[in-house]
Amino acid sequence: MREWGFLFFDNTNFLRHITLKDTHQLLDFCKRLGPSDCYHSAAYYMNPAAPDMSGKNWAGCDLIFDVDADHLDTPCKKEHDIWICSKCNAEGKGGQPTICPKCGGKDISKITWICNNCLDTAKKEIIKVLDEFLIADLNLNAENIFIVFSGHRGYHIHVEDEKIKKLDANARREIIDYITGNGVDPAYQGLIQLPGGVIVGPKSDDYGWRGRINRYVTRFIKEAGEGVLTEIGLSKPKRKLILENREFIAENLSSTKKFIPGVNGISWDLAKLKLTDWLKIVEAAIKLYAGKIDEPVTADIHRLIRLPNSLNGKTGFKTKLLRRDELDDFNPLNDTQVFEGYVKVKIKRSPRIVIGDISYGPFYDEEVELPMSVGVFLACKNVADIV
Ligand SMILES: [Zn+2]
Ligand SMILES: [Zn+2]
């Protein structure tokens, strides 16, 4: 009942609306045509081969989540992502400029690299979405949840559960909002000012977003620097109050439900944290610590997703299917290599890459012999040619 789709190395068109009846047909198709990437629909259709959506007769869809390092703010990207101007060959690190600073050309290609830090950050995010939201709060059965390393920069979650298959796009958007904390109103979660002026809030062990607000705010109070506190609009005396009494305030938040206005020794009115200040802190904490998922992927009930255990054409790594208990020890740069032997490649330009705990490069305009999986990776990344 799934639609299949394929990409090819020598053709930019997506070949889709394919039906395959069993594993035998899938393998036969791949052997004959040699696609670079294999996808199937998250959806089930009565007629998956119909060339337009209205003719497919939608019959349900798995619930999909995508966490990609591309959408996470990791500091190392500035070091390992590069852009190259195709007109004058000028290059630089980090995000690509819209026009080349050297020649003014507009055709600039970007090479997004992968590194352990980026992949670790993505893994932590996917574990958070899984443990905190899908299993703890939404009570989904872990048996029906499959985790997939994409073979490149991120992870997917597939929930295959009769209960959620029929959810429409709006219902899926509600789940997205729940995970990202979009529209959480702290007043409904118990953060209020009592008639006498005392501010009370939820406790750390309250269920759902109540406890989460307490824990996120506690973490924010412990971690926020002067810059972040200024950004959210706290005055200098209030910033000073927080920065000099972090532990005291955090301890009060996690052990009691006190969103305290001030601490001993600082009683002057300017330094008191008012309800409006706490609301700013809650908002900032949600933005920092709530789930970070690629929202359109979850909302789209016709999406094609990468076939688990196929190879990713951007890297040559395996798109690996995992269960929750395998995730903690999983190392994406070691455990997804499938090629053996060595290969000679001519490399144009490559940042350093660590594969299988061994570091390769950086390379600049040179011919080298490398383990096959490293050579294939560089070729897939379009920075080298196999000699
Ligand atoms: Zn240029
Ligand atoms: Zn990185």
Side-chain angles (χ1 to χ4, degrees), residues 46-210:
M46 300 314 288
N47 183 17
D52 58 282
M53 286 303 157
S54 56
K56 285 190 192 294
N57 202 356
W58 190 85
C61 183
D62 296 331
L63 183 63
I64 304 292
F65 298 94
D66 176 25
V67 171
D68 206 301
D70 284 341
H71 303 120
L72 301 173
D73 193 18
T74 51
C76 46
K77 276 185 195 168
K78 285 200 284 291
E79 289 308 312
H80 57 62
D81 284 1
I82 54 178
W83 58 265
I84 298 168
C85 169
S86 56
K87 201 169 150 200
C88 75
N89 276 331
E91 59 174 66
K93 286 179 175 179
Q96 79 213 87
T98 43
I99 6 173
C100 171
K102 199 171 159 199
C103 75
K106 281 183 183 160
D107 187 10
I108 294 170
S109 56
K110 190 179 178 194
I111 301 169
T112 53
W113 215 240
I114 54 180
C115 83
N116 255 323
N117 181 57
C118 286
L119 291 170
D120 255 5
T121 310
K123 186 158 109 175
K124 281 187 192 127
E125 280 299 321
I126 209 87
I127 289 174
K128 178 166 71 183
V129 171
L130 200 60
D131 291 357
E132 271 193 40
F133 292 95
L134 301 186
I135 294 175
D137 279 15
L138 299 184
N139 198 27
L140 290 172
N141 185 349
E143 292 272 296
N144 301 330
I145 299 176
F146 301 89
I147 304 136
V148 181
F149 170 63
S150 74
H152 192 213
R153 308 238 291 177
Y155 290 84
H156 307 151
I157 295 173
H158 302 194
V159 186
E160 297 188 15
D161 190 324
E162 289 304 323
K163 274 189 297 193
I164 50 87
K165 264 182 192 165
K166 297 280 183 179
L167 294 182
D168 65 10
N170 284 332
R172 287 164 203 254
R173 266 185 215 108
E174 295 274 357
I175 296 175
I176 295 168
D177 286 346
Y178 188 83
I179 292 173
T180 57
N182 182 29
V184 168
D185 184 340
Y188 289 143
Q189 310 299 332
L191 180 60
I192 48 164
Q193 186 156 20
L194 299 177
V198 179
I199 300 164
V200 292
K203 288 185 297 191
S204 62
D205 56 356
D206 283 346
Y207 287 116
W209 267 101
R210 291 195 164 228

Side-chain angles (χ1 to χ4, degrees), residues 10-41:
D10 54 359
N11 187 339
T12 50
N13 293 324
F14 215 124
L15 180 65
R16 58 181 295 182
H17 310 300
I18 308 282
T19 38
L20 296 165
K21 297 214 184 315
D22 53 33
T23 319
H24 181 78
Q25 281 196 2
L26 170 64
L27 286 174
D28 185 59
F29 182 96
C30 290
K31 281 177 189 165
R32 274 191 298 118
L33 298 176
S36 62
D37 301 86
C38 308
Y39 298 83
H40 64 70
S41 60

Side-chain angles (χ1 to χ4, degrees), residues 119-386:
L119 291 170
D120 255 5
T121 310
K123 186 158 109 175
K124 281 187 192 127
E125 280 299 321
I126 209 87
I127 289 174
K128 178 166 71 183
V129 171
L130 200 60
D131 291 357
E132 271 193 40
F133 292 95
L134 301 186
I135 294 175
D137 279 15
L138 299 184
N139 198 27
L140 290 172
N141 185 349
E143 292 272 296
N144 301 330
I145 299 176
F146 301 89
I147 304 136
V148 181
F149 170 63
S150 74
H152 192 213
R153 308 238 291 177
Y155 290 84
H156 307 151
I157 295 173
H158 302 194
V159 186
E160 297 188 15
D161 190 324
E162 289 304 323
K163 274 189 297 193
I164 50 87
K165 264 182 192 165
K166 297 280 183 179
L167 294 182
D168 65 10
N170 284 332
R172 287 164 203 254
R173 266 185 215 108
E174 295 274 357
I175 296 175
I176 295 168
D177 286 346
Y178 188 83
I179 292 173
T180 57
N182 182 29
V184 168
D185 184 340
Y188 289 143
Q189 310 299 332
L191 180 60
I192 48 164
Q193 186 156 20
L194 299 177
V198 179
I199 300 164
V200 292
K203 288 185 297 191
S204 62
D205 56 356
D206 283 346
Y207 287 116
W209 267 101
R210 291 195 164 228
R212 201 167 280 123
I213 283 179
N214 182 302
R215 295 190 301 273
Y216 285 2
V217 167
T218 303
R219 184 172 165 196
F220 183 86
I221 291 291
K222 280 185 183 166
E223 293 179 354
E226 171 105 45
V228 177
L229 297 174
T230 310
E231 234 170 72
I232 65 170
L234 294 185
S235 65
K236 197 162 184 205
K238 288 173 185 174
R239 300 200 295 267
K240 193 163 176 279
L241 172 88
I242 291 175
L243 292 170
E244 288 176 2
N245 302 280
R246 283 178 193 287
E247 290 307 319
F248 177 84
I249 301 173
E251 175 57 30
N252 256 286
L253 278 164
S254 54
S255 61
T256 68
K257 52 199 300 192
K258 279 189 193 143
F259 284 64
I260 50 147
V263 292
N264 294 340
I266 308 177
S267 55
W268 27 301
D269 205 48
L270 273 177
K272 278 185 185 164
L273 293 172
K274 301 199 168 63
L275 184 63
T276 48
D277 299 319
W278 282 114
L279 292 175
K280 285 176 195 164
I281 291 171
V282 171
E283 192 186 345
I286 290 176
K287 220 180 199 171
L288 275 173
Y289 306 132
K292 289 173 189 65
I293 51 176
D294 188 3
E295 300 183 15
V297 174
T298 303
D300 185 352
I301 55 169
H302 299 106
R303 194 95 176 175
L304 293 178
I305 46 167
R306 203 170 271 284
L307 171 66
N309 289 341
S310 63
L311 294 184
N312 187 316
K314 286 181 200 144
T315 56
F317 299 170
K318 189 170 172 177
T319 299
K320 190 155 174 153
L321 181 64
L322 300 155
R323 299 311 294 246
R324 175 65 187 89
D325 57 358
E326 297 172 299
L327 195 52
D328 294 319
D329 293 332
F330 173 68
N331 179 335
L333 295 177
N334 289 358
D335 304 338
T336 58
Q337 307 308 323
V338 297
F339 296 106
E340 288 171 353
Y342 287 80
V343 66
K344 204 176 255 181
V345 284
K346 186 160 178 11
I347 304 166
K348 284 167 271 186
R349 165 82 172 82
S350 160
R352 195 174 79 96
I353 177 76
V354 178
I355 292 178
D357 288 330
I358 300 170
S359 168
Y360 304 91
F363 299 106
Y364 196 88
D365 203 16
E366 55 196 298
E367 200 173 299
V368 279
E369 193 173 61
L370 292 169
M372 183 72 83
S373 35
V374 182
V376 168
F377 170 77
L378 297 178
C380 285
K381 275 284 175 193
N382 246 335
V383 297
D385 289 316
I386 301 213

